[in-house]
Amino acid sequence: AAYRQYAQWCETGRASGGLALGNLLEGHVDRLASHLYSPTELRFAIDYENLYPKEWLEKGAAAARVVSREWERKNIDMLFGHGVKESLKYGACILKQLAGRDAEGNFQLREARLVQPWCYGVYDESGNSIDEQEALVETVLLNKHQVWRRVRHLPDAEKLYKKILGNARKDEGLGMPSSFMHQVLSTAILDPSLQNATQPRPGGIVQLSNDANSPILSPTVAPEMFPMHEIYVWDDDRDDYLTIQIIEPGVLVAPLMKHSNLFVREHHPYTLIQGNFVANYFWGRSEITDLMMLQSWLTEHLDDAKRLMGQQVDKIMAFPGYDGITDDIYALF
């Protein structure tokens, strides 16, 4: 609910959903993100704590150039910049590096993608470091072709595949619940208007007015999507992370036969991007928290100015009728 509210304010400049005459939140977040991080200035450097011959220093400089070039070729430098902007909007964003093996079995970085905070979970939210978490979980949505690629090597693959397809639901957008009917226990007064549209309301409350609304655009996915949970748990016996992949409704994809880390040994693929640090709170703080009321004040005054200008253009020139000026006519004036 908080993330929906942040997105609503940044997109429209209002809490009610209508477009504001002047929305400064999106521009402020974009400008601040550009001051914090610039892809054009990103350069990696490899340094040494001890003194080494010039030959080793040149090797370190060459390796640093290779890393910088890989980030540029795979567009990770631009992606990290987008992650900084998203972290300012929502408080946190996670960069996931996708690795693989080449034909010779060597590790290589293929690409990266952003994980939004509502698709991610940590074991202890009171810790700020992602590397100190006992367990990390990410929820992703797969289509049926991606599901088959993950289960085709398992015993009874076709049976598991049909089980997943039979118990899946069609998700549109980002995997939010498709039904608005939920059991709700509430003692608050229901508000069916759009004044507090960003607050979650019980199912069955229908908007009957024809107020102009500006919904936030979200992707509509035509194929059926199947949730998969990818978990990284620290294994004390192996001194390494254990990767667990589960496709709903409870089909275990990994580990298969032996425990393994699907990323690099002793590492996980996630990097926390956070613009505003909050002590003892993993998810940080949104940049627009302190600006929402200021944006509301600006929107209110711009609406008043627009209404006053409209009154001056379409002003009352005369009062028709022979009964004098009534209270209603005087109120119109």
Side-chain angles (χ1 to χ4, degrees):
Y3 294 143
R4 283 194 295 267
Q5 185 181 26
Y6 297 151
Q8 185 77 37
W9 276 99
C10 279
E11 183 73 16
T12 65
R14 295 180 186 265
S16 59
L19 288 176
L21 289 176
N23 181 14
L24 303 182
L25 294 178
E26 185 70 24
H28 170 77
V29 171
D30 191 28
R31 189 178 302 109
L32 179 58
S34 65
H35 285 297
L36 294 178
Y37 170 81
S38 176
T40 59
E41 299 178 359
L42 177 64
R43 295 293 183 272
F44 287 95
I46 297 180
D47 196 6
Y48 302 93
E49 294 182 357
N50 301 322
L51 295 178
Y52 290 96
K54 181 179 179 181
E55 178 184 359
W56 284 98
L57 298 179
E58 294 177 351
K59 290 181 178 180
R65 289 194 298 269
V66 171
V67 176
S68 301
R69 194 173 297 114
E70 283 296 308
W71 270 54
E72 294 176 356
R73 289 175 176 174
K74 294 178 171 56
N75 206 32
I76 303 178
D77 53 346
M78 298 294 296
L79 187 67
F80 194 89
H82 296 320
V84 173
K85 181 179 178 180
E86 294 296 307
S87 70
L88 291 174
K89 183 185 299 184
Y90 299 113
C93 189
I94 293 91
L95 176 74
K96 182 179 183 181
Q97 302 177 73
L98 304 177
R101 301 285 179 177
D102 57 14
E104 299 178 355
N106 298 321
F107 169 84
Q108 62 177 177
L109 177 64
R110 293 181 176 176
E111 56 179 340
R113 62 181 176 84
L114 295 179
V115 180
Q116 297 295 355
W118 54 83
C119 300
Y120 198 76
V122 295
Y123 189 83
D124 184 7
E125 290 186 346
S126 64
N128 294 106
S129 175
I130 194 172
D131 295 325
E132 296 178 358
Q133 297 289 337
E134 296 289 341
L136 309 166
V137 59
E138 175 196 0
T139 299
V140 296
L141 293 176
L142 309 175
N143 57 44
K144 61 180 181 180
H145 310 289
Q146 294 171 327
V147 170
W148 173 248
R149 295 189 188 102
R150 282 168 170 77
V151 302
R152 62 184 179 182
H153 63 285
L154 300 176
D156 298 329
E158 294 185 4
K159 182 178 179 180
L160 295 176
Y161 181 66
K162 293 180 180 179
K163 179 181 178 180
I164 295 174
L165 297 186
N167 291 272
R169 65 181 187 272
K170 183 177 180 180
D171 282 318
E172 293 185 356
L174 299 180
M176 298 300 178
S178 57
S179 173
F180 60 86
M181 299 301 297
H182 303 285
Q183 296 180 359
V184 177
L185 298 178
S186 177
T187 58
I189 300 176
L190 299 181
D191 179 18
S193 67
L194 279 180
Q195 298 299 321
N196 297 312
T198 56
Q199 300 297 328
R201 293 177 297 193
I205 303 301
V206 182
Q207 171 67 25
L208 300 178
S209 64
N210 57 352
D211 297 339
N213 207 6
S214 177
I216 299 176
L217 298 179
S218 61
T220 300
V221 182
E224 293 183 343
M225 306 301 290
F226 310 92
M228 183 189 78
H229 310 288
E230 183 171 289
I231 309 170
Y232 279 82
V233 184
W234 181 257
D235 189 351
D236 291 326
D237 295 334
R238 299 170 49 252
D239 289 332
D240 192 10
Y241 283 96
L242 168 64
T243 305
I244 303 174
Q245 293 181 341
I246 301 176
I247 302 179
E248 293 186 5
V251 177
L252 184 65
V253 178
L256 180 63
M257 306 307 292
K258 74 171 185 177
H259 295 181
S260 60
N261 183 357
L262 298 184
F263 193 62
V264 185
R265 176 171 174 79
E266 299 182 4
H267 292 82
H268 57 80
Y270 303 105
T271 301
L272 176 63
I273 305 175
Q274 192 171 85
N276 295 321
F277 176 87
V278 177
N280 300 325
Y281 186 60
F282 180 82
W283 302 110
R285 191 171 190 267
S286 174
E287 177 68 21
I288 66 172
T289 302
D290 297 328
L291 303 177
M292 288 189 293
M293 291 300 99
L294 184 60
Q295 174 64 39
S296 178
W297 180 86
L298 175 63
T299 301
E300 180 182 354
H301 282 67
L302 289 177
D303 290 342
D304 292 340
K306 179 182 178 182
R307 180 177 58 84
L308 292 176
M309 292 298 296
Q311 293 289 341
Q312 293 182 19
V313 173
D314 190 17
K315 57 187 176 181
I316 296 176
M317 305 300 295
F319 293 102
Y322 301 95
D323 297 331
I325 300 178
T326 63
D327 293 338
D328 296 337
I329 295 179
Y330 185 77
L332 289 177
F333 176 77

